[in-house]
Amino acid sequence: MASKLKFKDDPRTPKLIGVLIIFVALYLIVACLSYIFTWKEDQDKVWEFQMGLISQDIAVANILGRLGAIVSHFLIYWLFGLPVFFLLATLLRYGLDVLNDKSLTPYRFRLRIALLWTIGVSLLFGFIFYWGFWCAVTIHYYSCNAYY
């Protein structure tokens, strides 16, 4: 009697997971790249996310539609800003390595480094662009504080 292969023991499972991770990473990268160019048209539609946004016929300018606009707005506006691309590049590389059966042991370190870069650059951009470039460079709190 032949025994059935379990899903986790099937050699195709890592390939399937790798392809799925690659598709998710590419979807997020394209959505975020589209958000960079279309955020002015889409921001008022995704500002307060509601389930009605998905079900209604609301036109958005994002290449990947309403879901792309919602996800990219969440990642870029609410979470990390442009440094989110560090995490997305790490996710894409992880998917490629899973697909090619490479060792996945260095990914604890790579994920940690990507998170540090994402959070660090996000904080740096927030500091620079909140006060303005000149105020951030010269650190003149009182002279720059008069404008805000």
Side-chain angles (χ1 to χ4, degrees):
M1 192 189 281
S3 65
K4 293 182 180 180
L5 285 175
K6 294 182 182 177
F7 184 71
K8 65 178 182 175
D9 295 332
D10 192 357
R12 297 175 294 180
T13 302
K15 303 282 186 193
L16 180 66
I17 292 172
V19 168
L20 183 67
I21 291 172
I22 290 170
F23 281 143
V24 167
L26 287 176
Y27 182 86
L28 292 175
I29 288 171
V30 170
C32 289
L33 282 175
S34 178
Y35 181 81
I36 292 172
F37 299 107
T38 63
W39 67 272
K40 290 180 183 178
E41 294 89 13
D42 294 343
Q43 191 170 18
D44 63 336
K45 296 173 183 80
V46 297
W47 182 254
E48 291 185 27
F49 172 71
Q50 298 172 354
M51 290 306 289
L53 181 63
I54 295 176
S55 63
Q56 294 175 352
D57 291 332
I58 297 175
V60 293
N62 195 304
I63 292 173
L64 297 177
R66 292 184 299 263
L67 184 61
I70 292 167
V71 170
S72 60
H73 179 76
F74 178 72
L75 288 174
I76 292 179
Y77 187 82
W78 290 109
L79 286 183
F80 299 115
L82 293 179
V84 78
F85 287 105
F86 289 125
L87 289 177
L88 297 179
T90 304
L91 183 66
L92 181 65
R93 180 146 182 212
Y94 180 75
L96 289 171
D97 286 350
V98 167
L99 185 65
N100 295 327
D101 291 331
K102 291 188 178 179
S103 174
L104 301 177
T105 55
Y107 273 97
R108 292 180 85 189
F109 177 72
R110 287 181 186 161
L111 183 61
R112 210 175 299 148
I113 293 297
L115 278 172
L116 285 175
W117 271 99
T118 302
I119 293 170
V121 174
S122 179
L123 289 173
L124 179 69
F125 281 176
F127 177 74
I128 289 174
F129 294 115
Y130 180 75
W131 292 107
F133 183 72
W134 179 251
C135 295
V137 171
T138 60
I139 313 294
H140 284 172
Y141 175 74
Y142 294 108
S143 64
C144 296
N145 197 21
Y147 298 111
Y148 298 104

